[in-house]
Amino acid sequence: MDVLLLHGLLLLPLAALLLYRCSPCFQYLCKVAFFNCWIVAMATLLSPFAAFWGRSVDNMKLLRAALLPLKRFYGIRMRVRGAEQLQLQGPFVIVCNHQASLDLMGMVEVIPERCVPIAKRELLYLGTVGWACWLSGIIFIDRHRRDAAIEVISHTASTMRHENLRVWVFPEGTRNPGKSMLPFKRGAFHLAVQAQVPIVPIVISPYWDFFSSKEKRFTSGTCTIRVLPRVETRGLSPKDVPELTESVRQAMAEALAEMSMSDHGDQATEQPLLGLGDNRGRPQGQGDTARNSK
């Protein structure tokens, strides 16, 4: 009986490997689990180091360094267009479309120095992940209490000016894997107007060709990140926020539609590490201008 049990235990890894290779659904579940476990592990490992400096936006460098390798594990190639638009002096607000948790990989690819995201308050209570986010200066907002959210925005506007802080916001407010953008919430635009700082829109191309939570599919592929020209808010007042919000959303929606057409089928990838990608990847070609290092 012991021999049979031992043989069964030895066969389990082989069975799991065969299932991983043969079942896209099982492969999807494994990759999503690895993604979440990596985040928890890195947060647990790095939190004591971040705690040494206390709550500081400079700790975002640790989180960024921990998340950057994920694109290599999954064989996802990042192409960045318009990165020069982020080379601004002083504070500004970044608004970006929000499709899935994979957006974290796109965010750390381009996030400038002294930039922190605004996140839902519930994230604060996710154990070491919430602690690491708090230590990194991430701004938490209670989406269910409008008065508290307004107070956070007002405080953040003042902090941006005094501490040269940049803020990253997902104005759709929730994940949206659809072909069009959801209506934007106005908090990011009120923040930019109150602080009188520019808005920099960023659009991440759809993941349809290599990732789908609905179809339980997660392969390797190419992700394009496009940084649009900044939008100035100097001289604008709160009454201009609705028009400002809609004009920025329209520009981002047009960019997303254009990227969806031009990037379809262009799926050259990096070779995945640790066997986590599929076999479609190929080495990056000579003369490719994609920003891939970091």
Side-chain angles (χ1 to χ4, degrees), residues 97-280:
N97 60 319
H98 191 19
Q99 302 176 74
S101 54
L102 267 63
D103 295 337
L104 288 175
M105 290 192 284
M107 183 178 74
V108 299
E109 188 75 15
V110 297
I111 191 168
E113 290 195 4
R114 300 198 59 74
C115 181
V116 293
I118 286 183
K120 58 185 180 182
R121 188 170 180 81
E122 291 84 347
L123 182 62
L124 184 58
Y125 305 109
L126 293 182
T128 55
V129 174
W131 188 33
C133 291
W134 183 83
L135 286 169
S136 300
I138 289 177
I139 300 163
F140 297 98
I141 193 165
D142 190 340
R143 299 177 298 175
H144 306 295
R145 292 181 53 199
R146 188 171 182 272
D147 55 340
I150 291 174
E151 183 179 348
V152 169
I153 288 174
S154 298
H155 180 265
T156 303
S158 175
T159 303
M160 289 180 71
R161 293 190 298 266
H162 292 116
E163 299 184 14
N164 188 28
L165 191 68
R166 292 82 182 263
V167 177
W168 185 296
V169 185
F170 295 106
E172 290 174 286
T174 188
R175 298 174 187 176
N176 172 35
K179 296 183 179 180
S180 60
M181 292 187 184
L182 298 174
F184 281 4
K185 299 184 182 301
R186 296 175 181 173
F189 305 91
H190 277 293
L191 173 61
V193 168
Q194 283 189 37
Q196 292 288 280
V197 298
I199 296 170
V200 180
I202 292 181
V203 182
I204 301 175
S205 65
Y207 306 137
W208 308 326
D209 288 327
F210 62 91
F211 176 85
S212 171
S213 58
K214 183 178 180 180
E215 299 174 6
K216 299 295 184 289
R217 174 170 49 82
F218 196 166
T219 62
S220 57
T222 298
C223 177
T224 300
I225 304 168
R226 183 172 171 184
V227 187
L228 304 183
R230 69 179 181 270
V231 178
E232 295 292 347
T233 66
R234 189 172 298 277
L236 298 184
S237 66
K239 66 181 177 62
D240 298 309
V241 167
E243 182 179 353
L244 173 66
T245 303
E246 188 53 37
S247 64
V248 172
R249 180 187 176 277
Q250 184 63 30
M252 293 175 65
E254 291 175 358
L256 179 64
E258 180 183 334
M259 293 162 70
S260 300
M261 296 295 294
S262 62
D263 291 343
H264 183 71
D266 180 12
Q267 292 298 309
T269 65
E270 291 185 350
Q271 293 288 354
L273 300 179
L274 304 179
L276 287 173
D278 63 3
N279 295 322
R280 294 189 304 158

